[in-house]
Amino acid sequence: MEAHKENQEIYTKRIKAGKRAYFFDIKATRANDYYIAITESRRQPGSDRYEKQKILLYKEDLNKFLEALHGTAEYIKKELLPHYDFDKFSNSRADSSTQATP
């Protein structure tokens, strides 16, 4: 079995959102452990450079993170913006891509 390189990318999902892009990457450590790297990438005004913000999410925090994210999204949808049509942007397949790496 071949050892993984540090931070080897296993899977990636990209979502375009206007001038931003979000990347959800599964990466492997040298110890064959996995984590999620969530990256927001924004083009700097008047430049070809990108500003990136990153969150690393480890397995022991995955359920807590997902529960908090889901609860927060549901609060926005049901309490703050109950009449907003969130689904009007859901079917844009051109705005996202998924790639698994061998």
Side-chain angles (χ1 to χ4, degrees), residues 29 33-36 56-63 65:
T29 66
D33 206 359
Y34 302 97
Y35 64 95
I36 299 172
L56 302 181
L57 182 58
Y58 298 96
K59 66 180 180 252
E60 59 269 20
D61 301 320
L62 186 60
N63 283 342
F65 183 90

Side-chain angles (χ1 to χ4, degrees), residues 81-98:
L81 298 171
H83 302 294
Y84 184 78
D85 181 11
F86 288 94
D87 292 328
K88 70 181 175 181
F89 299 107
S90 295
N91 296 325
S92 181
R93 295 190 57 93
D95 287 346
S96 68
S97 64
T98 304

Side-chain angles (χ1 to χ4, degrees), residues 6-72:
E6 182 69 27
N7 301 326
Q8 179 184 2
E9 191 171 289
I10 305 299
Y11 171 91
T12 189
K13 171 86 175 176
R14 181 185 68 167
I15 300 171
K16 288 184 181 180
K19 295 181 181 181
R20 292 184 167 94
Y22 298 98
F23 297 87
F24 296 84
D25 302 313
I26 299 173
K27 296 188 176 191
T29 66
R30 288 184 196 167
N32 269 350
D33 206 359
Y34 302 97
Y35 64 95
I36 299 172
I38 303 170
T39 306
E40 175 198 39
S41 180
R42 291 187 295 162
R43 185 181 295 225
Q44 292 180 344
S47 172
D48 287 338
R49 298 178 61 148
Y50 288 85
E51 178 181 335
K52 295 181 181 182
Q53 302 292 326
K54 190 172 285 205
I55 296 171
L56 302 181
L57 182 58
Y58 298 96
K59 66 180 180 252
E60 59 269 20
D61 301 320
L62 186 60
N63 283 342
K64 292 182 279 187
F65 183 90
L66 291 173
E67 184 179 311
L69 180 62
H70 179 75
T72 303

